[in-house]
Amino acid sequence: MTPGGRRGGGRPTLEEVAARAGVGRGTVSRVINGSPRVSERTRTLVQQAVADLGYVPNRAARALAANRADTVALVVPEAETRLFAEPYFSGILRGVSAGLADHDMQLLLTLIRTSKERRRFADYLAAHRVDGVLLVSVHGDDPLPDLLERMAIPTVLSGRRTAGETVPYVDSDNTGGAQSALEHLIGRGRRQVATIAGPPDMYVAHCRLDGYRQAVRAAGLPEDTGLVAHGDFTEDGGRRALRELLARRPALDAVFCASDVMAAGARQELRAAGRRIPDDVALVGFDDSAIARHMDPPLTSVRQPIEEMGRAMARLLMEQITGGAAGSTPDPDAPGAPTGPTRPADPADPAGTHLVLPTELVRRASS
């Protein structure tokens, strides 16, 4: 006899669980798959039999029966150097993993850098090897969201391509966050405030640049295009953009960077130019990543709830996959949940599949 009271060896079967619980095989299957069409008493009997026998459901068989792959792809259309250098991606990954933890789903991390890799991924999708896709770091000319929409594959974006994005997404209040950064700098008496914006082909960069411009106008300061330079969300990009700004406007007294990583590069160039932070030039970033806390001096930064964005992405995707009712408010009890209001981005989105999470300015010594 085995420890569970079974005769012989090998893995316990569905039939043995059914016999022990005194129910049919189909009833056991419904309990294991979470069907509501089972009484509480029967559910308890089956669960006890499963525990007694040590039964482990055959994952592959369950997925096949449900026409599911039990796999979600997290797609990053960037080079691996950016994936491992930017805290944003690791924060999203942690949030997504936490959001999928209770759904028994495998997470497939995929980097797509070329059109060949995109075609290979499309073939992988056509073979029904994933149930849904989470797409991070969306560029305006990226054809992948439209391809996923045509293939009717459940998809959620981190960010969006335009203001009229049709694919479900989770974003942060990029415009409002940039405005708060500029209001802080202008309120501290800075008048030659420059910005290092993100790549022009990314909507997130446009939003943060719009917030910068709106705050400059609201303060009655002249809009000077010479105080605007573009980076690529990398440290090298921040250095190059800061050199460009100093060459054009050497009297600048503050810089708002559209990411903490670019702010780290800008800080190096300011020091190389003999500019003290914040005495000569105040510096503000965006993300409130570990980079901001560990810089010298510590960096003032706009905090966006990156891990909560990842959790919300996973929740929206699972609602698409399982046909659950979508909601517009992430779990307020989840670790790291934002304290401000979470709202649908579009009033015409009653399903709540377009979410914008609040940002917050964290003041530190750099400004």
Side-chain angles (χ1 to χ4, degrees):
M1 297 285 286
T2 64
R6 297 171 53 244
R7 294 188 180 278
R11 294 176 55 176
T13 66
L14 200 68
E15 288 77 9
E16 288 174 321
V17 174
R20 188 176 186 88
V23 299
R25 186 181 188 279
T27 300
V28 174
S29 180
R30 283 192 290 274
V31 171
I32 290 173
N33 288 290
S35 171
R37 297 165 49 209
V38 181
S39 72
E40 196 57 40
R41 177 179 176 278
T42 300
R43 188 184 308 279
T44 300
L45 287 171
V46 172
Q47 289 172 341
Q48 186 61 52
V50 166
D52 289 345
L53 295 174
Y55 175 75
V56 178
N58 186 318
R59 182 186 182 93
R62 285 176 56 191
L64 182 62
N67 195 27
R68 291 252 301 269
D70 282 348
T71 301
V72 166
L74 177 64
V75 180
V76 183
E78 302 286 356
E80 59 272 10
T81 51
R82 280 201 64 196
L83 175 66
F84 295 111
E86 293 190 29
Y88 176 82
F89 295 115
S90 60
I92 288 289
L93 182 57
R94 284 193 300 271
V96 166
S97 297
L100 294 176
D102 294 331
H103 294 284
D104 200 24
M105 300 288 280
Q106 298 289 337
L107 184 61
L108 173 69
L109 178 61
T110 304
L111 301 184
I112 295 181
R113 294 145 295 191
T114 65
S115 57
K116 181 179 179 180
E117 290 176 340
R118 190 182 303 111
R119 288 193 299 271
R120 185 185 304 135
F121 184 62
D123 292 340
Y124 191 83
L125 296 174
H128 305 289
R129 291 176 176 173
V130 301
D131 298 310
V133 173
L134 299 165
L135 182 58
V136 183
S137 189
V138 184
H139 294 258
D141 59 353
D142 190 341
L144 190 54
D146 292 330
L147 172 65
L148 294 166
E149 204 168 21
R150 288 195 301 273
M151 296 177 74
I153 294 176
T155 303
V156 178
L157 310 181
S158 172
R160 42 191 156 153
R161 293 168 294 173
T162 66
E165 182 63 74
T166 57
V167 178
Y169 63 80
V170 176
D171 206 350
S172 64
D173 185 7
N174 293 293
T175 302
Q179 284 179 302
S180 67
L182 265 292
E183 289 166 0
H184 166 69
L185 289 169
I186 293 168
R188 301 287 291 176
R190 309 290 172 157
R191 291 296 178 267
Q192 291 284 311
V193 184
T195 185
I196 298 177
D201 69 335
M202 297 186 74
Y203 184 66
V204 60
H206 285 279
C207 290
R208 293 176 189 178
L209 184 55
D210 283 346
Y212 164 87
R213 287 169 170 160
Q214 290 174 26
V216 167
R217 287 195 296 267
L221 297 177
E223 293 187 60
D224 182 357
T225 57
L227 288 170
V228 177
H230 287 272
D232 58 1
F233 288 137
T234 68
E235 194 170 326
D236 284 342
R239 283 198 292 265
R240 290 192 298 269
L242 199 281
R243 283 198 297 269
E244 181 183 331
L245 288 169
L246 285 177
R248 292 199 307 242
R249 299 293 184 270
L252 63 85
D253 58 8
V255 182
F256 165 59
C257 299
S259 78
D260 291 347
V261 175
M262 291 197 297
R267 167 187 165 276
Q268 294 178 29
E269 286 301 316
L270 286 170
R271 289 197 164 178
R275 307 294 178 93
R276 297 169 300 167
I277 304 171
D279 304 72
D280 302 323
V281 180
L283 188 63
V284 175
F286 203 112
D287 286 334
D288 190 38
S289 63
I291 290 173
R293 297 188 293 275
H294 296 147
M295 276 178 57
D296 179 24
L299 180 68
T300 295
S301 184
V302 178
R303 175 182 294 160
Q304 59 173 339
I306 298 173
E307 288 193 35
E308 176 57 26
M309 291 170 68
R311 282 192 289 271
M313 289 173 66
R315 177 178 60 82
L316 289 182
L317 187 67
M318 289 309 302
E319 287 171 355
Q320 290 185 62
I321 292 171
T322 62
S328 61
T329 305
D331 180 2
D333 297 322
T339 55
T342 299
R343 58 183 174 82
D346 183 355
D349 174 38
T353 59
H354 296 169
L355 302 183
V356 173
L357 305 190
T359 55
E360 174 192 3
L361 183 69
V362 180
R363 296 169 176 82
R364 297 190 179 95
S366 71
S367 60

